[in-house]
Amino acid sequence: MIGAFEVLIGFVIMLGMMAAGIHVAVAIFSVAALGTLMYLGTPLLYSFGDTLWGTLNDFILTAIPLFILLGELLLRSGITERMYSALSVWLNRMPGGLLHTNIGASSVFAAMSGSSVATAATIGTVALPAFAERGYSERLALGTLAAGATLGILIPPSINMIIYGAITNTSIGKLFIAGILPGLALAGAFMLAIIAFSLLRPEVAGEREPRVPLRARLASLVDLLPPAFVFAIVIGSIYSGWATPTEAAALGVVAALLLAAINRKLTLTMLHECFLSMARTTAMIMLIIVAAFFLNYIVGILGIPHTLTQWVADLGLSPLGLILALVIFYLVLGCFLETLSMMIATVPIVVPMVVQFGFDPVWFGIFLVIMMEISLITPPIGMNLYVVQGVRGRGSISDVMIGSLPFLAIMLAFVALIIIWPGLVLWLPEAMG
Amino acid sequence: MLPRNPYWLARSLAHGAAVAAGYAALGLSLLITFEVIARKLFNFSLQGVDEIGGYVLAIGVSFSFAYALLHRAHTRVDVLMARLPAVLQAPLNAAAMLMLAAFSLFMLWRAIETLHETLEFGSLASTPLQTPLWIPQSLWVIGLGVFALLTSLLALHALAQLVTGRVRALNRDYGPRSAQDELDEAQQDYGDSVSTTATPATQGDAT
């Protein structure tokens, strides 16, 4: 019904509109509308009202504002600094010292808040002054901040996975669980790289940190309890099957509310600030999602996944060749699209095709999230690079880019690893049953 | 982003609606928490919490669209635009606003049609609560109406600026947000909860 060439033209029009600064949601909707008018006629276009209601009135997507609210409450409950200190006394003694704390704190914090901007802003503000004082390689310190903050979308809860799951009809609970091992493995690989660097070139790692007595270290664990508590409630309730992801988000909100109250940070002003942030971010995401759901619907009716699958098969690509092509596709796309838009705009077209080639949708979701993380620190436009540079407030952005390169390389190697060994992703969710 | 006076009403309305959406989300969280605990421990279910959750999302989001718009939060790609001269940015910014207005009006139009059909058939939700769907859908349509009204006003404002050649004002009011803008906002938002007590440096010295 529709050829691969027409699909390509549609995709290019969409990208062109985005590049011209048209709102991403409008660009996505416009190509969907264009395709509808050209091939299907106005009645289907008019059915948009029902798509709109069906998408917005969806309990699964209700998880999005709730997880955002959870993150906002935690961000404003004053646990960041103490968490950073607590992590630092535990991780300091490894070669590379405070650099490990950056990775650890950024990934925990990004996982909780779901926002790499908020993570880089808060952790960066706490961490950067200390690095200058102690003679660390500034580039590497900046790189750990930029890279650490990307891990948040892989470690659950992750808004990106909710969106992926909702568009592709994949179990969000399984996606969450599947993200845990790769998230930990990546954080571990970052830390190993820091150790290796510090051993090979001791000058990057600054002064050795003083040893902290065991008692003080144990006492500092108290400050790690709040994030651990919320994480355990959210992930535990999903893993055990007690709650759906949306319900788990609600449990997390109530837990975060309690924590804020215990820390005496819970005021009406604070609560309203959380609400406003939640409303803003949710509306921003949902406007793109309603457009993407319509595109998804139209793409399905037009049989585009089938067309593309046929086309790829005719090219003689093997499944492996397809995935490698997609790695390049997302690397290039990530150079000029904002990551969330990149995912939402491509998932309706790419995922059905990939699934027909025999890939597991949960595995592909994790693959995609890692590709998004990579694009967050890929020059020239990786968002995290600019945010970290903004926190630093002086010097050149190229320091941040150079400092992030080793982590970029590790992430690419990790993508190769999960392609070779999908079990790393799929073992936990399959054990969940 | 805007001259205060003509829009203060819109701003405060959108602000109020966003706070209300927050309270709805909070209330929903408490309700769900109660439901999960009751279901697990006492084998008792409230019924229909998920349905209410859907309505909270639909209505809350439709009212929040306008608030996000006032904060320029709706995503745009600024990679290419940021490299263009201001004279070229201006028409693109105006075009973006006009297209957003067209989209929001189309959403409103189709949403009204959906509500119209609901009223015609007296549709009930196919759930235990059997909510008459016109109730949540009316609120949803009103929210989308506010969004459409606001985008239209802003689009006209942008167009007026373009026609009268106020390029710089247009780019300031309707340009895409850069990473730096995002960061400034995040630092402003979360700055209070950072800053004060222990930096790692003082922690190390103390022990």
Side-chain angles (χ1 to χ4, degrees):
Chain A
M1 183 140 81
I2 183 170
F5 185 65
E6 285 90 337
V7 175
L8 185 69
I9 290 179
F11 192 67
V12 169
I13 293 175
M14 178 169 77
L15 291 184
M17 289 177 73
M18 288 180 188
I22 302 296
H23 290 82
V24 167
V26 179
I28 295 175
F29 178 77
S30 298
V31 273
L34 189 68
T36 314
L37 289 176
M38 284 177 65
Y39 298 97
L40 302 166
T42 44
L44 261 176
L45 186 61
Y46 286 176
S47 73
F48 180 63
D50 297 333
T51 315
L52 190 60
W53 173 252
T55 311
L56 287 176
N57 172 34
D58 183 346
F59 188 60
I60 292 177
L61 292 176
T62 307
I64 293 174
L66 296 185
F67 274 123
I68 293 172
L69 183 57
L70 162 61
E72 292 292 336
L73 285 166
L74 285 177
L75 281 174
R76 292 167 211 265
S77 62
I79 62 175
T80 330
E81 296 230 347
R82 280 185 281 164
M83 188 185 82
Y84 191 87
S85 304
L87 278 172
S88 77
V89 299
W90 282 94
L91 300 173
N92 265 350
R93 296 295 296 170
M94 286 192 278
L98 273 180
L99 293 171
H100 296 288
T101 313
N102 273 2
I103 299 287
S106 298
S107 33
V108 174
F109 202 72
M112 291 186 324
S113 71
S115 157
S116 23
V117 181
T119 302
T122 42
I123 303 284
T125 311
V126 181
L128 280 178
F131 280 97
E133 276 168 29
R134 303 193 198 185
Y136 281 88
S137 150
E138 192 179 20
R139 286 178 173 169
L140 203 54
L142 295 168
T144 52
L145 283 174
T150 65
L151 293 178
I153 53 175
L154 185 56
I155 300 170
S158 158
I159 305 284
N160 304 53
M161 289 184 192
I162 299 172
I163 297 170
Y164 175 89
I167 298 181
T168 63
N169 256 324
T170 309
S171 155
I172 293 164
K174 286 198 171 173
L175 285 164
F176 275 10
I177 304 301
I180 295 176
L181 268 185
L184 291 178
L186 257 180
F190 286 173
M191 290 186 178
L192 281 178
I194 292 171
I195 292 177
F197 256 117
S198 314
L199 291 178
L200 289 173
R201 295 180 50 198
E203 71 274 16
V204 297
E207 301 161 25
R208 207 75 202 264
E209 301 296 326
R211 176 182 285 281
V212 178
L214 187 63
R215 173 141 20 123
R217 275 198 274 171
L218 289 178
S220 75
L221 280 183
V222 176
D223 294 328
L224 292 179
L225 284 180
F229 170 63
V230 174
F231 184 83
I233 286 185
V234 171
I235 302 308
S237 63
I238 294 176
Y239 194 82
S240 63
W242 278 35
T244 65
T246 309
E247 290 169 342
L251 297 176
V253 166
V254 174
L257 209 59
L258 289 176
L259 282 177
I262 292 170
N263 280 346
R264 294 163 190 266
K265 293 273 186 179
L266 187 63
T267 61
L268 214 53
T269 321
M270 176 267 201
L271 207 54
H272 286 187
E273 279 173 1
C274 291
F275 289 166
L276 291 175
S277 270
M278 179 202 82
R280 206 163 55 218
T281 314
T282 308
M284 179 261 281
I285 295 175
M286 290 305 294
L287 191 67
I288 304 178
I289 290 184
V290 292
F293 267 71
F294 188 63
L295 177 68
N296 197 25
Y297 173 59
I298 296 302
V299 156
I301 296 179
L302 284 173
I304 288 178
H306 182 73
T307 307
L308 287 183
T309 309
Q310 197 59 46
W311 178 65
V312 172
D314 291 345
L315 284 178
L317 271 184
S318 62
L320 179 65
L322 175 66
I323 283 295
L324 293 179
L326 284 173
V327 170
I328 295 166
F329 173 72
Y330 280 113
L331 280 177
V332 173
L333 211 54
C335 285
F336 61 106
L337 270 194
E338 179 265 333
T339 47
L340 192 66
S341 312
M342 169 174 104
M343 180 187 89
I344 298 178
T346 57
V347 155
I349 305 166
V350 171
V351 174
M353 175 174 75
V354 177
V355 169
Q356 287 201 13
F357 266 79
F359 290 96
D360 186 300
V362 172
W363 178 87
F364 189 75
I366 302 300
F367 165 85
L368 196 53
V369 167
I370 298 174
M371 290 311 298
M372 293 171 69
E373 295 188 317
I374 290 175
S375 82
L376 281 172
I377 56 168
T378 308
I381 72 144
M383 175 86 165
N384 282 19
L385 303 172
Y386 287 88
V387 172
V388 170
Q389 172 63 17
V391 175
R392 180 188 179 211
R394 60 189 172 77
S396 155
I397 179 92
S398 56
D399 294 329
V400 190
M401 291 178 178
I402 294 169
S404 304
L405 281 182
F407 302 105
L408 194 61
I410 292 173
M411 288 169 136
L412 282 172
F414 193 77
V415 169
L417 180 68
I418 66 163
I419 291 174
I420 297 166
W421 184 32
L424 183 61
V425 173
L426 293 175
W427 175 68
L428 257 189
E430 275 168 7
M432 178 183 164
Chain B
M1 75 179 252
L2 290 168
R4 291 267 138 60
N5 300 335
Y7 295 102
W8 71 269
L9 184 65
R11 286 185 87 88
S12 42
L13 278 179
H15 186 99
V19 171
Y23 276 108
L26 192 64
L28 178 69
S29 299
L30 294 171
L31 195 64
I32 292 177
T33 303
F34 178 76
E35 154 84 17
V36 171
I37 294 173
R39 190 175 64 206
K40 213 56 221 176
L41 297 184
F42 310 110
N43 232 343
F44 153 83
S45 170
L46 288 174
Q47 301 290 332
V49 174
D50 50 348
E51 183 183 346
I52 294 169
Y55 300 150
V56 167
L57 182 71
I59 298 163
V61 164
S62 73
F63 275 95
S64 304
F65 280 153
Y67 180 74
L69 178 70
L70 286 173
H71 285 262
R72 291 194 295 161
H74 291 299
T75 315
R76 296 169 66 188
V77 177
D78 71 336
V79 188
L80 185 67
M81 283 198 74
R83 285 161 179 73
L84 292 177
V87 205
L88 287 180
Q89 284 185 20
L92 288 177
N93 282 329
M97 284 311 298
L98 286 171
M99 289 200 61
L100 185 66
F103 178 50
S104 66
L105 286 168
F106 182 75
M107 279 205 296
L108 176 64
W109 174 40
R110 295 325 301 168
I112 289 175
E113 206 55 39
T114 298
L115 174 62
H116 187 77
E117 278 173 28
T118 299
L119 286 171
E120 201 164 308
F121 297 110
S123 312
L124 303 178
S126 52
T127 55
L129 292 183
Q130 292 204 319
T131 317
L133 275 178
W134 67 266
I135 301 175
Q137 283 186 350
S138 304
L139 288 166
W140 168 67
V141 164
I142 294 172
L144 292 174
V146 174
F147 181 53
L149 182 68
L150 192 67
T151 44
S152 305
L153 284 176
L154 295 188
L156 289 177
H157 181 239
L159 198 61
Q161 282 177 327
L162 183 70
V163 171
T164 55
R166 279 172 288 163
V167 168
R168 203 183 314 155
L170 170 56
N171 288 339
R172 183 198 61 219
D173 290 350
Y174 300 103
R177 288 156 52 97
S178 63
Q180 188 63 44
D181 295 337
E182 305 267 342
L183 177 68
D184 290 344
E185 194 172 88
Q187 283 185 321
Q188 202 180 356
D189 278 6
Y190 312 118
D192 306 342
S193 58
V194 189
S195 80
T196 46
T197 52
T199 65
T202 54
Q203 171 84 20
D205 297 342
T207 44

